[in-house]
Amino acid sequence: MPKIVNARVIITSPGRNFVTLKIECDDGTTGVGDATLNGRELAVASYLADHVVPCLIGRDAHRIEDVWQYLYKGAYWRRGPVTMTAIAAVDTALWDIKGKLAGLPVYQLLGGASREAVTVYCHANGTSIDDTIAAALEYQQQGFRAIRLQCGVPGMASTYGVSKDRYFYEPADGDLPSESVWNTSRYLRIVPELFKAAREALGWDVHLLHDIHHRLTPIEAGRLGKDLEPYRPFWLEDATPAENQEAFKLIRQHTSAPLAVGEIFNSIWDAKDLIQNQLIDYIRATVVHAGGITHLRRIAAFADLYQVRTGCHGATDLSPVCMAAALHFDLSVPNFGIQEYMRHTPETDAVFPHAYSIEGGMMHPGDEPGLGVDIDEELAKGYEYKPAFLPVNRLEDGTMYSW
């Protein structure tokens, strides 16, 4: 029985803030789990250090399901992003340990590979349609088969998804939240023009995706989906806030464009109605925010009953530990759809050495035992935590709005 003897919460900021949990067993085996919650990192760090780690010491590291249930049911206060991110960190680290003890990559413990590699999509963005198309053409030449398109909206100072650096996008940009201004009418005019230009430039052998980021009402989302139908979008992401899941029925009535949602979901209960009523086509929940590999597998298995595919969130606010875990999950589940991919900075890659690789728009987690990723703790010490908030959004009259 591998007994847990120590667990450390490591906070580092190699280009952005990350929280990592490292669990150690009595035989020296270690495992890592991502515990990063963008803009609320220290809340999870405290939850782990003050409330979770003391409960782990002395437990059998092999009993992943029992530990998961203990941390979920035993806390009384269930769900929520802080709790589920903390549970995910423990769960992911225990899968890493189990793989190392078995001498197998984690995907082999999940039933083996269901495909040869994992299809990913990249992010093309620019301040104008021409800039975005130029970025998308560059990604297409690199072999990417799926590309998310975001461009600046004329008359707006800033737009979600458009970064100063074409390759690196970090929305958490200040020690207090910056404020953006939003105009729905202008946005609804520019996106169909973007997709029309993209199809003319890229052709039809590449998938085109778009993130609305919760900014439309259901009827506005239905209108946009209908306008984009001639260009066959792969999906429209987060078309409207998902708290009111009935809203997706209205979107479905007006467009056949595929819908994706769930990067801010924390449990199967957040996704249950949307999945079983077939109101979405892709579930975007991810390892770090949805309770780890154990719970994400439950969500995927449930979704498979209704022909809903996975499309895990994979922005740079997920560390390489989470990316590795996502790839093992992606490689194994039968109803995999696509995986989001954003490259990390060289500093981040150095702090988190990893075995996963990318080639021609496809990724593989590698075949090292466990997750195939670790944290260089000495190097991590050189990057101190920096307070960083996500922006907030207002309409032009000053009304608070969804960012």
Side-chain angles (χ1 to χ4, degrees):
M1 174 181 95
K3 184 180 294 186
I4 297 171
V5 294
N6 192 24
R8 298 188 304 282
V9 180
I10 304 163
I11 303 170
T12 185
S13 187
R16 73 156 335 276
N17 293 321
F18 295 109
V19 179
T20 306
L21 179 69
K22 191 160 194 175
I23 296 177
E24 182 178 347
C25 295
D26 54 358
D27 65 352
T29 306
T30 62
V32 289
D34 188 8
T36 307
L37 183 62
N38 199 351
R40 297 293 186 269
E41 296 91 352
L42 298 185
V44 183
S46 174
Y47 192 101
L48 282 167
D50 297 331
H51 305 292
V52 172
V53 167
C55 299
L56 296 178
I57 307 305
R59 294 189 176 274
D60 183 350
H62 271 322
R63 298 184 63 176
I64 297 176
E65 182 66 41
D66 182 67
V67 171
W68 196 98
Q69 296 294 337
Y70 180 89
L71 295 176
Y72 182 82
K73 295 178 178 177
Y76 184 70
W77 308 107
R78 300 182 183 184
R79 303 165 61 189
V82 174
T83 295
M84 297 304 282
T85 299
I87 292 175
V90 175
D91 184 81
T92 304
L94 293 182
W95 277 106
D96 190 22
I97 289 169
K98 187 179 284 288
K100 290 174 180 175
L101 292 172
L104 293 169
V106 166
Y107 76 82
Q108 294 288 14
L109 304 181
L110 303 178
S114 292
R115 53 200 51 82
E116 297 303 314
V118 172
T119 301
V120 301
Y121 71 89
C122 59
H123 290 207
N125 69 87
T127 56
S128 67
I129 289 176
D130 289 344
D131 287 344
T132 300
I133 299 305
L137 284 168
E138 185 176 332
Y139 279 120
Q140 187 182 39
Q141 291 167 2
Q142 294 173 18
F144 285 91
R145 308 170 192 179
I147 302 172
R148 193 186 85 164
L149 303 173
Q150 311 288 144
C151 78
V153 177
M156 291 171 53
S158 62
T159 306
Y160 167 77
V162 178
S163 60
K164 296 178 182 178
D165 188 302
R166 176 177 290 184
Y167 294 113
F168 300 103
Y169 177 57
E170 175 49 61
D173 59 2
D175 54 7
L176 287 174
S178 61
E179 295 199 3
S180 302
V181 177
W182 179 252
N183 183 300
T184 299
S185 298
R186 291 174 181 171
Y187 166 78
L188 289 174
R189 289 196 297 268
I190 195 72
V191 177
E193 295 179 18
L194 171 63
F195 268 69
K196 182 176 186 292
R199 279 296 175 218
E200 291 173 352
L202 302 170
W204 293 88
D205 292 332
V206 59
H207 295 304
L208 303 180
L209 301 82
H210 182 68
D211 186 358
I212 298 170
H213 224 244
H214 320 277
R215 297 188 180 206
L216 298 180
T217 66
I219 199 67
E220 290 168 345
R223 184 194 312 162
L224 178 60
K226 191 171 184 178
D227 288 345
L228 294 181
E229 282 176 11
Y231 313 114
R232 296 292 189 270
F234 184 86
W235 76 31
L236 299 182
E237 178 186 342
D238 290 337
T240 195
E243 289 96 327
N244 174 21
Q245 300 194 357
E246 291 283 319
F248 284 78
K249 290 183 180 179
L250 186 57
I251 302 174
R252 281 289 206 215
Q253 292 171 10
H254 292 278
T255 182
S256 62
L259 302 175
V261 75
E263 73 177 42
I264 63 172
F265 286 1
N266 309 130
S267 81
I268 195 169
W269 304 107
D270 296 322
K272 183 179 78 71
D273 290 348
L274 287 171
I275 290 171
Q276 70 182 13
N277 293 318
Q278 295 184 284
L279 299 179
I280 59 172
D281 303 280
Y282 295 89
I283 180 65
R284 299 253 305 133
T286 192
V287 171
V288 67
H289 298 143
I293 294 171
T294 295
H295 195 63
L296 193 59
R297 290 180 75 202
R298 287 199 182 92
I299 295 174
F302 181 66
D304 194 28
L305 298 177
Y306 299 94
Q307 295 181 294
V308 173
R309 297 176 180 176
T310 66
C312 292
H313 177 59
T316 47
D317 59 351
L318 281 57
S319 84
V321 175
C322 185
M323 176 57 76
L327 292 172
H328 285 277
F329 166 83
D330 295 335
L331 200 64
S332 66
V333 293
N335 57 323
F336 167 76
I338 202 166
Q339 170 67 52
E340 182 177 19
Y341 168 73
M342 293 179 69
R343 69 186 71 193
H344 289 103
T345 65
E347 293 83 3
T348 296
D349 285 333
V351 169
F352 296 95
H354 52 266
Y356 63 75
S357 60
I358 182 167
E359 182 177 357
M362 307 287 285
M363 296 187 74
H364 194 282
D367 286 308
E368 289 189 9
L371 294 175
V373 65
D374 205 347
I375 181 169
D376 185 327
E377 295 188 59
E378 287 303 311
L379 193 57
K381 291 177 182 177
Y383 298 100
E384 293 185 0
Y385 169 82
K386 300 176 182 179
F389 282 82
L390 290 170
V392 298
N393 214 22
R394 293 185 184 272
L395 299 181
E396 290 176 317
D397 67 359
T399 303
M400 281 299 301
Y401 203 65
S402 297
W403 177 78

